[in-house]
Amino acid sequence: MSIRALWVISHEKGECGTVSFSRRYPTVERRARGLAGRRYVPIPEDSDLLRPLLTELGVTDPEKPFVTSRDDCARPQRSPALEVHLEGQDGGTLWPLLAITQGELILACLPLVEVPLEPQPPLPSLPSVSQGLSLLAGLQTFICGAGGRVEGDLLASRLALLPAVLLQTCPLGTPLDTLQLGLPPAPSPAPAGPQKQPAWKPGVHRGRAVVNVALSEQVRSMQYGSRTKQDLWDVFGTVTCKCELEGVLPNVTVTLCLPPNGSPLQDVLVHPCVTSLDSSVLTANSIDDSDGSSFSGPYKFPFSPPLEPFRLCSYTSQVPVPPILGSYQLKEEESQLKLTVSLKLHESVRNSFEYCEAHLPFFNRGPLNIVDVRVSAGQLEVSREKSLLVWVLGQKFPKSLEATLGGTVAFSGQSPGPVDPLCTGLTAYIKLYFRVPDLTLSGCSVDQHSVQVYSSAKPRITTCECQHTKSTNAHKSLTVRTHMKKCTH
């Protein structure tokens, strides 16, 4: 259980970024070469790795939010375990490259995979992945501290100490003193005697005990509107926690529940601080076309939390339909474009939004000149310079759960407008943004009363669920992309 290399990268949104620190382990790399054989992919120079990694994380090219190799619905998401496609003549793919972000810093490492890479093994079966995440979490705490933010001279001093820290915590590429998966569960009250302070937890909390649990889901959907192509959609969920508890190793158990007719969770990945888990939870996946009926919950996650906020687990789920169905028709008549949009909210989704709006951009045509468009609900805003229509639907769909937009637009060719190499001719799309609080599409929920805490002080427990959505409806191929908390497209 070793790592091949480690990087600390500084970046700003949209910038190319710089490698502030890197460390490679030749002895581990020699083992990787022997294990992989002909499929061995060497680690490139820092400058050659930087751009593919930032592209995979979605922090570069703000004018190009959609990258097929990264955002295609057919590609399963395994963040923070990335599959980085290298550029250049030799090419190749580095997997699993682990990366976590903290403000303008990115911490990444490449674990050694000691099993055959073809077929690609499931992530929960790779102990080096858990070791790598534990190492990155520890380095994140060392560099950024409990406050989670460090800048200027302090950052430089921490990076200067990093070689000495790695010499102690990761000699020859093998992390030490990291919390392992599969430890005895034993979520019991803390013993009376003193407990050893683990290396991955540099301090303890003093003050009021609080446990915050947040559940969010992201839905990506591709609707073709064609009998020859099957519509696709996926649900990705994450559970994040922030535990402020006294004691060296307090124990917490969070339980996820599903409705009686809910689909079992699949592709479950857990934080290294989880001390035990039913093996059937980790083996259910969406790749094998299995229904996952062997385990349908409740899903219990006992863990000893770190000081900083962390992602307890992530999962996927199969849902029968996407939350919003849409259609987008575009026709060219003389010098104008005639457009028709129809959106329908599924009856299972609560008709109560914090916000809901649709963006209709037009590319390669120049600024908007004439806009004659009517909507059945909400209001329309026009940005002529950006060639953009914004349809603000508000906080509710009509009682029929359907909303339509129709009319004509014309453009002025006197000055160039927004440019996109894909949206030529009648190819266009709609982006739909909305947020629904206290709702998940899969029905997965966290019961506040099911959160068990074994600590010296009684904590205040808060839970929340929300549905964020960003949908894209495209003419010719209709794409709907929804998400519950954060989304990149």
Side-chain angles (χ1 to χ4, degrees):
M1 294 184 288
S2 304
I3 65 170
R4 297 166 57 184
L6 182 142
W7 298 269
V8 178
I9 299 171
S10 302
H11 80 96
E12 294 182 3
K13 187 82 172 174
E15 301 295 332
C16 59
T18 58
V19 178
S20 302
F21 176 87
S22 67
R23 173 59 55 88
R24 300 159 191 264
Y25 296 96
T27 55
V28 181
E29 194 65 14
R30 183 175 180 180
R31 291 167 56 195
R33 186 182 299 108
L35 290 169
R38 293 182 300 174
R39 299 188 180 277
Y40 169 71
V41 178
I43 299 175
E45 296 296 328
D46 294 344
S47 57
D48 296 330
L49 175 68
L50 188 59
R51 182 173 180 81
L53 174 58
L54 296 181
T55 299
E56 187 67 25
L57 290 171
V59 296
T60 58
D61 298 329
E63 296 181 356
K64 189 179 180 182
F66 180 82
V67 178
T68 303
S69 61
R70 179 190 68 206
D71 300 318
D72 193 281
C73 288
R75 179 184 174 187
Q77 296 293 313
R78 296 290 185 268
S79 177
L82 307 176
E83 187 172 352
V84 179
H85 300 274
L86 303 177
E87 301 172 348
Q89 184 176 359
D90 297 333
T93 301
L94 292 179
W95 180 90
L97 199 153
L98 308 177
I100 59 177
T101 60
Q102 179 69 52
E104 297 179 355
L105 286 182
I106 298 174
L107 284 76
C109 72
L110 182 63
L112 174 67
V113 179
E114 300 180 354
V115 297
L117 293 175
E118 293 292 341
Q120 194 175 92
L123 286 172
S125 68
L126 303 177
S128 59
V129 171
S130 298
Q131 284 272 32
L133 289 173
S134 295
L135 176 64
L136 294 181
L139 294 178
Q140 181 185 26
T141 301
F142 169 75
I143 296 175
C144 302
R149 186 177 181 86
V150 62
E151 296 178 347
D153 296 338
L154 184 57
L155 175 60
S157 64
R158 296 284 174 85
L159 292 177
L161 293 173
L162 198 53
V165 172
L166 290 175
L167 188 62
Q168 298 293 326
T169 61
C170 190
L172 300 177
T174 302
L176 303 178
D177 293 327
T178 52
L179 194 63
Q180 300 286 328
L181 281 173
L183 294 176
S188 56
Q195 291 179 288
K196 180 182 177 182
Q197 183 80 16
W200 54 269
K201 191 171 185 179
V204 294
H205 172 73
R206 302 295 182 189
R208 185 178 183 182
V210 178
V211 176
N212 294 315
V213 183
L215 175 60
S216 61
E217 288 186 350
Q218 171 183 348
V219 183
R220 299 187 310 168
S221 173
M222 183 74 72
Q223 301 176 37
Y224 296 97
S226 171
R227 296 182 179 180
T228 59
K229 292 185 179 181
Q230 183 180 4
D231 294 343
L232 302 173
W233 56 88
D234 297 292
V235 176
F236 302 89
T238 58
V239 179
T240 56
C241 298
K242 177 68 169 80
C243 301
E244 299 176 348
L245 301 172
E246 293 186 352
V248 175
L249 288 173
N251 290 296
V252 182
T253 299
V254 171
T255 302
L256 302 183
C257 300
L258 293 173
N261 58 345
S263 300
L265 304 183
Q266 299 174 326
D267 305 315
V268 177
L269 296 176
V270 298
H271 191 274
C273 71
V274 175
T275 56
S276 67
L277 199 62
D278 193 309
S279 59
S280 59
V281 175
L282 297 176
T283 55
N285 64 84
S286 58
I287 305 299
D288 297 336
D289 295 328
S290 61
D291 59 2
S293 57
S294 58
F295 192 87
S296 57
Y299 299 82
K300 293 183 178 293
F301 298 91
F303 59 93
S304 182
L307 295 176
E308 69 278 358
F310 67 101
R311 182 167 63 180
L312 176 64
C313 70
S314 62
Y315 61 86
T316 66
S317 178
Q318 303 293 329
V319 295
V321 292
I324 291 182
L325 298 173
S327 67
Y328 183 18
Q329 295 181 353
L330 199 61
K331 296 181 180 180
E332 191 161 9
E333 297 180 351
E334 297 179 353
S335 60
Q336 295 181 333
L337 287 181
K338 182 179 181 180
L339 53 136
T340 304
V341 180
S342 175
L343 299 176
K344 182 176 182 180
L345 180 68
H346 193 266
E347 57 185 10
S348 64
V349 179
R350 181 183 303 132
N351 189 13
S352 178
F353 305 89
E354 287 190 11
Y355 58 84
C356 181
E357 61 183 39
H359 290 196
L360 289 75
F362 298 94
F363 297 96
N364 310 313
R365 294 182 178 274
L368 282 168
N369 185 23
I370 301 175
V371 178
D372 183 13
V373 177
R374 296 178 181 273
V375 295
S376 63
Q379 60 185 11
L380 189 69
E381 299 177 357
V382 181
S383 176
R384 298 184 183 276
E385 295 78 11
K386 297 182 179 180
S387 297
L388 174 68
L389 300 182
V390 179
W391 181 12
V392 181
L393 289 130
Q395 297 181 338
K396 282 183 177 293
F397 269 65
K399 292 185 178 180
S400 62
L401 302 183
E402 296 185 10
T404 59
L405 176 150
T408 59
V409 295
F411 305 87
S412 172
Q414 298 178 355
S415 60
V419 177
D420 189 291
L422 298 179
C423 296
T424 59
L426 293 179
T427 301
Y429 63 85
I430 300 175
K431 285 186 178 180
L432 179 64
Y433 305 83
F434 68 79
R435 175 185 173 97
V436 182
D438 301 323
L439 175 71
T440 58
L441 198 61
S442 67
C444 185
S445 62
V446 181
D447 185 2
Q448 180 177 352
H449 301 288
S450 69
V451 179
Q452 301 176 350
V453 180
Y454 301 92
S455 178
S456 57
K458 185 177 180 180
R460 177 172 61 90
I461 300 173
T462 60
T463 62
C464 70
E465 302 161 10
C466 68
Q467 175 180 355
H468 266 234
T469 303
K470 177 182 179 181
S471 308
T472 306
N473 298 357
H475 178 61
K476 293 189 178 177
S477 66
L478 177 63
T479 307
V480 178
R481 184 169 186 176
T482 59
H483 72 98
M484 316 314 187
K485 191 144 191 166
K486 179 182 179 182
C487 128
T488 57
H489 180 73

